Amino acid sequence: MKRLERLGTALTPNGTELVLYRHDGAYLIRADGVELMSTRRHLSEVRLAEVACAPIRDRPNARVLIGGLGLGFTLRATLEALRADAQVIVAELVPEVIAWNADPAFELSADAMRDPRVRVLESDVVDVLRSEPAAFDAIMLDTDNGPSGMLMSESVRLYAAHGVSDTVRALRPGGTIAYWSVGDDPRFARALRHGGLAVETLRVRAHETAGPMHTIYVATPRR
């Protein structure tokens, strides 16, 4: 049996312990012992980028924001979807997560992070949203477990009503917001609609052929 290698640990500002593991060539991150993400089950993270970027695939100088670096799957899918003149901002709260992805020894996202289109910020995504009104053609948010089943208290303000308002204000006209969630959360979908958004709910498997179903909320301001 292959052993579980503990590669690194980190604490979020409010004290949640994140641990990076490797097992039989795959990587995973756990938050206080609960699995957040894995390189074995990432299809929904790729799909998050695909649905958010589809309307702007051919848009010159598109500018997008990714909230949460994770294991880099949304970032890599975004780079595949957009033109060479795009700008991709990634906001990641935990510096160790940035370092793990940038370490070529871990075979995660070092190449993607070196792409000249990419700028990674060690920052809470809410602070980025508030500082850049009307700045992004697409916003992809995948922090914690999404609005359903949050494990980290830092995530609360992003998914609260004020956080939704901040996100809408950071969007350019015709832009798209895509939220990743570990599960279906009808209350959050209602909150998005109450915030003036038209919402499409997508159910996507974590893996192409098996694994749990995750939810992606695709939200656009109503005209």
Side-chain angles (χ1 to χ4, degrees):
M1 180 180 293
K2 304 280 182 148
R3 72 184 184 90
L4 189 66
E5 301 175 74
R6 186 180 176 111
L7 301 175
T9 62
L11 290 178
T12 71
N14 290 345
T16 301
E17 183 185 48
L18 302 181
V19 183
L20 175 69
Y21 294 97
R22 180 167 52 204
H23 179 258
D24 195 18
Y27 294 85
L28 61 147
I29 294 177
R30 291 177 178 168
D32 283 346
V34 178
E35 185 175 310
L36 277 181
M37 61 202 75
S38 166
T39 57
R40 287 198 174 104
R41 301 191 297 185
H42 59 263
L43 180 63
S44 59
E45 297 161 53
V46 172
R47 185 67 175 144
L48 179 73
E50 291 174 345
V51 298
C53 294
I56 59 170
R57 179 178 291 274
D58 298 318
R59 184 171 300 178
N61 301 304
R63 192 166 188 262
V64 305
L65 173 65
I66 300 172
L69 178 57
L71 293 171
F73 288 102
T74 299
L75 170 60
R76 293 195 291 278
T78 296
L79 293 173
E80 289 180 10
L82 298 181
R83 291 167 41 124
D85 58 0
Q87 183 180 14
V88 181
I89 309 299
V90 183
E92 172 54 54
L93 181 63
V94 182
E96 289 87 349
V97 172
I98 298 172
W100 297 338
N101 276 276
D103 188 340
F106 292 158
E107 301 177 305
L108 293 171
S109 305
D111 288 345
M113 292 172 67
R114 286 195 295 267
D115 190 299
R117 294 173 289 175
V118 175
R119 183 158 63 102
V120 180
L121 305 177
E122 182 188 323
S123 180
D124 189 319
V125 67
V126 173
D127 295 331
V128 178
L129 291 165
R130 289 177 176 173
S131 68
E132 298 212 39
F136 301 105
D137 298 290
I139 298 171
M140 293 152 270
L141 299 173
D142 179 7
T143 68
D144 201 335
N145 266 330
S148 179
M150 285 183 281
L151 299 170
M152 294 174 278
S153 59
E154 293 93 345
S155 305
V156 171
R157 64 180 187 150
L158 176 63
Y159 301 111
H162 287 302
V164 172
S165 297
D166 291 333
T167 305
V168 173
R169 282 193 291 269
L171 203 62
R172 289 174 175 169
T176 301
I177 307 165
Y179 291 89
W180 184 96
S181 178
V182 71
D184 197 19
D185 191 336
R187 181 181 298 179
F188 182 66
R190 287 194 298 270
L192 294 176
R193 294 186 179 100
H194 183 73
L197 297 164
V199 181
E200 180 184 5
T201 301
L202 306 178
R203 298 284 283 162
V204 182
R205 283 200 179 276
H207 187 273
E208 289 183 4
T209 58
M213 298 293 292
H214 296 154
T215 301
I216 297 173
Y217 297 104
V218 185
T220 53
R222 287 195 290 265
R223 296 180 181 179

